[in-house]
Amino acid sequence: LKEVRVTLVRQEDQSYSAMIGAGILSTALADLAELQPGRRVFVVTDANVKAAGHLDTFANGHEVASYVIDPSGEQSKNMATVMAVLDAMERERFGRDSLVVALGGGTVGDLAGFVAAIFKRGVPYAQAPTTTLAQADSAVGGKVGVDSEWSKNAYGAFKQPCRVYADVATLATMDERGYRAGLVESAKHAMIADAEYFDYLDVKMDLLLRRDRTVLAEIAARNIGIKASVVQKDPEEKGLRQILNFGHTVGHAIETASGFQLLHGEAVALGILAAAKLAEDLGIAHQSERPRMAALLAKLGMPENCPANISDEALWEIMSRDKKAVNSVPRFVLVDRIGHAYCVDDKYSIAVDASLVAKALDAIRP
Ligand SMILES: NC(=O)c1ccc[n+]([C@@H]2O[C@H](COP(=O)([O-])OP(=O)(O)OC[C@H]3O[C@@H](n4cnc5c(N)ncnc54)[C@H](O)[C@@H]3O)[C@@H](O)[C@H]2O)c1
Ligand SMILES: [Zn+2]
């Protein structure tokens, strides 16, 4: 018997910067040429983002190779589109010296990041998020991937971007409903991590809804700061990173059960209300917290009730398959006071008695 040990301890600095501002998309290409000299840029975007003019803004008069995902949105976040992008890069003779740019919302970011993770065994990529959701959440953290026929984000990887360009001017072209729903992730960040940020959102809400660029840049910076500080401590979601799932156990179940009629943020807003009720009934949170959370979500125009055609049974079924579930028992991230996620025995998601969950679901029924 012979044993040859292959020793490989990976210690790699994967740090990166997020650049935030209004109008920075037009200088991103030049910035990337400095950050990653000599690389050929390949942009992945979608039909809506291109039609809104953001691809032209990014190219800024230069010839840039691109793949435009069409139709836009979740329905194209699959392996067929990944193959189409990879084939387009091959056809145009892109090589190890490629640099992928994800220009769009979370769909484009997740898909393009996955392409970058596997093309020629991995090439660098940059995120240029153009939705409130992507600028708050998906553009940082390095989770990339696509859906299967059976489940969301079924195939993927961890792949950190080399830079993020959050240009808040791009948010001007978003439709109102998507714009507001994406802001729920901002509210979520404030609730789990920063009470002062919660007050900021509350006070600046009118400006925020008018898409004030100064406020948008401020919240992008705070969101990315909060997400980064969580991801830094737990990059592969072994514990702490779960707090980013606040509102998502019930939220994701409602989103799925609605057949995606509710937007992700709208469903998560309901999930936050349910989780707040759980924390209240468990005596973990003071009774003052839930109404304050509800008021902020109402200002964002989020629904207060779960659609009537979705039964508790349907929600249970989906929650028991949630990624935080243990032995099919759903777990919930709770907030004990606004700005602070609850933690017990180093655990950030807890199983809750079924009767309390039923009560929490009642709280989001008319
Ligand atoms: N990787 C992560 O950590 C992470 C975190 C949260 C969500 N996600 C993923 O993000 C995806 C949702 O992201 P999303 O809400 O940004 O969806 P999206 O990318 O599908 O964008 C929503 C819609 O807005 C359009 N759009 C995007 N930017 C626009 C702009 N500036 N102007 C006009 N229209 C624009 C898109 O074409 C699309 O039709 C989901 O697939 C989800 O799984 C990933
Ligand atoms: Zn979310």
Side-chain angles (χ1 to χ4, degrees), residues 137 185 188 248 264 268:
D137 194 349
E185 306 288 357
K188 175 196 78 179
H248 281 60
H264 178 72
V268 169

Side-chain angles (χ1 to χ4, degrees), residues 240-317:
L240 178 72
R241 190 167 178 167
Q242 287 189 341
I243 70 173
L244 298 171
N245 280 306
F246 178 54
H248 281 60
T249 306
V250 171
H252 181 244
I254 293 175
E255 181 185 11
T256 307
S258 79
F260 297 88
Q261 290 306 300
L262 284 191
L263 295 178
H264 178 72
E266 294 167 345
V268 169
L270 290 167
I272 288 174
L273 295 176
K277 173 73 173 154
L278 280 179
E280 186 179 301
D281 288 350
L282 285 162
I284 287 170
H286 190 271
Q287 287 180 348
S288 58
E289 302 303 78
R290 184 163 66 109
R292 290 181 61 212
M293 292 187 194
L296 188 72
L297 295 170
K299 280 190 189 171
L300 280 174
M302 291 302 108
E304 282 157 38
N305 291 308
C306 177
N309 61 345
I310 298 174
S311 68
D312 281 11
E313 291 69 36
L315 296 178
W316 264 113
E317 220 289 298

Side-chain angles (χ1 to χ4, degrees), residues 9-33:
V9 180
R10 178 120 60 155
Q11 261 281 347
E12 197 189 340
D13 185 358
Q14 299 184 87
S15 313
Y16 55 95
S17 293
M19 318 305 268
I20 299 156
I24 62 169
L25 190 59
S26 59
T27 52
L29 196 55
D31 186 63
L32 281 170

Side-chain angles (χ1 to χ4, degrees), residues 138-151:
S138 59
V140 290
K143 280 193 195 174
V144 297
V146 294
D147 307 335
S148 73
E149 200 176 310
W150 299 276
S151 67

